[in-house]
Amino acid sequence: MKKLAIISTFILGLAATSCDSYLDINESPNSPKEGDLNASIVMPGAEMNLVGTYGDYMRITGGYYAQYYTQSFGTSNYLDYSQFQQSATRSSSSYAQLNNRALKSMQLVRDIATNNENWGDYLAATVLRAFTYQVLVDCYGEVPYTEALDPSNPTPHYDDGQTIYDGIIAELDDALSKVKASDPVCTNFLFPGQNAGPWIEFANALKLRILSRESGVKNVDAQIGAIISSGNLPTSDIAYEGCWTSEAGHISPFYAEEFATNWGSTQINCVANIAIIGSMQVKDSEGAVVYEDPRLPAFFEKNGSGNYTGGISGSNFSTSSSYKSAYWCRPVAKFDMPVYMITVAETEFFIAEYYARTGNAAEAEAHYNAAVEASFATAGVDGAEGFVAQWPYDQSNYKKSIGIAKWIALAGVNTFEGYCELRRLDYPAFGSVKGSDMYNETDDSSYAPGKYVAGTLYTPIKCYGPVGEGHLLERWPYAESSSARNSNAPEFPGYTTPVFWGK
């Protein structure tokens, strides 16, 4: 993958124009003179190491595992993801990017901020640190936390996910207790030129996500209710936007990886999956379209013939296939596309779930509808009422209603969080149709998307054996860069063992 080169080049280019030479500090925090360090030098590099991984690798893997994407004809870069496979080596560099660079730089900002009592800086770095640990837990289940980031300890203990979640909630609460909305915040890309106010809202939205994610294994309703009652949540999507350009090294991460040709690559890998296409363009038994989601053109391009078509997980189609690259739809992507951290729609779905779980059906439905409306607003289209008519809220099975609607809403926005939420809510669920029912690699003429049932998942044509039929990849093997030389690394519990919040 081109990610590391992209991020290094991006940081180097922006360093010349916006915040001097923080690339050197990001690469080696111990090399500058201590008196020269300040949060504005370190923070932008910390952000780009997080967003470069989250907006690229996590988007790609989440897209395949959630059946938003499948592998295009003729290439095999991510065929293993399409088959629900992950290895300790595949995610290793991304883990190192988050742990060895992003988290270490964020801790440096926190240390500088503490020494100077700059609580706006402290909150901003704490929010991104908590965000990073949430991502790591959601991938691996267990990672070093209480003993992490200590260069004198090469074998840190792996903490369980519940301990880490509780820890980062406590960190967020501590940072929030110190800060005022008017406190200044160091140079950063997320909220440039603003004080701590939007970072406080981001912290609350992140707390809501973390607590909602563990709500099935721990009673956190009082904490969630307090966040909702405060009303101090974002009113607009939180995303890295406005900081990308078409220049090599400055391009939004997913576009740089999959669409840009600055490094000479012309491969086409990620294409639309029949699951998401068939759920956004619902057809009757005769093949006639009965509902087409207005967000579809905002999420996926039409194919070369002007139609919406989706490939099938587990195959990149045979070498003799007539279904070449131009047959499939690609994700909509632009050089300056935002990297969404958390959206208003996602927050509203969490609020709807809270009210559903606590028995307030009217509020649950109202926030479900508000979530759909917010998703349509993010996509820049009208028609939320039509979606609600097609996929109405059902209090008697609220997890299914929210799960399917959220899965669709996140398809063109944040595929990694879509992958996490379908593992947690168990919706969309696997239907009776399998990938092999819709396409047989030995018989090119058998491609049959009409067999797909809207709002379901399916077993890939070729599914990774340890995952097996009718199962998701629930967790990733511990990254080699973390576990290879760590005698305290635990034994991998298996690909279908959920992380703690999925049990």
Side-chain angles (χ1 to χ4, degrees), residues 64 70-71 78-84 312-315 460 462:
Y64 281 92
T70 190
Q71 186 63 31
Y78 309 128
L79 185 58
D80 50 347
Y81 304 152
S82 186
Q83 296 171 350
F84 291 176
I312 299 169
S313 294
S315 173
K462 290 181 180 176

Side-chain angles (χ1 to χ4, degrees), residues 15-338:
T17 60
S18 58
C19 37
D20 301 325
S21 56
Y22 57 81
L23 174 63
D24 292 336
I25 289 172
N26 178 59
E27 295 295 336
S28 181
N30 296 321
S31 60
K33 295 179 180 179
E34 184 175 351
D36 294 337
L37 290 175
N38 66 68
S40 287
I41 292 175
V42 183
M43 184 68 162
E47 290 180 281
M48 286 299 109
N49 279 300
L50 167 58
V51 77
T53 298
Y54 188 72
D56 180 14
Y57 191 74
M58 299 305 174
R59 179 171 184 133
I60 289 170
T61 51
Y64 281 92
Y65 297 149
Q67 293 194 329
Y68 296 133
Y69 304 154
T70 190
Q71 186 63 31
S72 177
F73 166 87
T75 60
S76 58
N77 282 23
Y78 309 128
L79 185 58
D80 50 347
Y81 304 152
S82 186
Q83 296 171 350
F84 291 176
Q85 185 174 357
Q86 178 63 269
S87 71
T89 55
R90 281 286 258 172
S91 71
S92 191
S93 62
S94 293
Y95 176 92
Q97 185 87 353
L98 293 177
N99 189 73
N100 299 342
R101 296 185 177 186
L103 283 173
K104 286 184 178 179
S105 295
M106 291 166 199
Q107 188 56 51
L108 181 55
V109 174
R110 279 160 47 94
D111 291 343
I112 295 169
T114 300
N115 289 337
N116 297 323
E117 296 188 352
N118 291 333
W119 302 123
D121 296 356
Y122 186 81
L123 174 66
T126 300
V127 170
L128 295 182
R129 170 183 160 91
F131 189 101
T132 304
Y133 272 115
Q134 172 237 304
V135 171
L136 291 173
V137 169
D138 295 348
C139 289
Y140 300 101
E142 302 82 34
V143 294
Y145 172 66
T146 55
E147 297 181 2
L149 309 180
D150 180 358
S152 68
N153 183 5
T155 59
H157 169 73
Y158 280 59
D159 294 278
D160 65 89
Q162 182 74 73
T163 296
I164 300 169
Y165 261 43
D166 290 346
I168 58 179
I169 287 290
E171 290 182 21
L172 289 168
D173 285 340
D174 172 67
L176 286 167
S177 73
K178 291 178 166 70
V179 74
K180 300 187 299 293
S182 59
D183 286 345
V185 178
C186 61
T187 300
N188 68 90
F189 290 118
L190 188 57
F191 301 116
Q194 297 194 44
N195 291 335
W199 286 99
I200 293 172
E201 294 177 349
F202 186 11
N204 286 327
L206 182 58
K207 283 179 60 180
L208 179 60
R209 175 194 281 168
I210 294 166
L211 292 167
S212 296
R213 213 148 267 175
E214 63 180 343
S215 62
V217 296
K218 182 180 180 181
N219 188 346
V220 292
D221 285 340
Q223 292 168 273
I224 292 176
I227 294 171
I228 295 170
S229 297
S230 76
N232 200 6
L233 289 164
T235 56
S236 57
D237 298 335
I238 294 175
Y240 280 89
E241 56 184 335
C243 56
W244 315 110
T245 75
S246 59
E247 184 180 349
H250 298 231
I251 302 169
S252 188
F254 178 65
Y255 186 90
E257 183 71 51
E258 281 299 300
F259 292 83
T261 58
N262 303 76
W263 283 270
S265 175
T266 59
Q267 278 196 359
I268 296 175
N269 295 295
C270 299
V271 297
N273 198 301
I274 185 61
I276 191 61
I277 295 296
S279 296
M280 298 187 78
Q281 189 184 67
V282 182
K283 299 180 179 180
D284 62 19
S285 59
E286 303 299 321
V289 176
V290 296
Y291 173 73
E292 183 166 298
D293 194 312
R295 293 169 294 182
L296 187 53
F299 291 175
F300 294 97
E301 300 172 348
K302 291 183 176 180
N303 70 2
S305 301
N307 299 311
Y308 289 109
T309 52
I312 299 169
S313 294
S315 173
N316 58 347
F317 287 74
S318 69
T319 55
S320 61
S321 176
S322 59
Y323 303 106
K324 306 297 184 184
S325 295
Y327 187 80
W328 309 114
C329 301
R330 297 211 73 195
V332 169
K334 300 178 181 179
F335 71 85
D336 59 349
M337 63 190 293

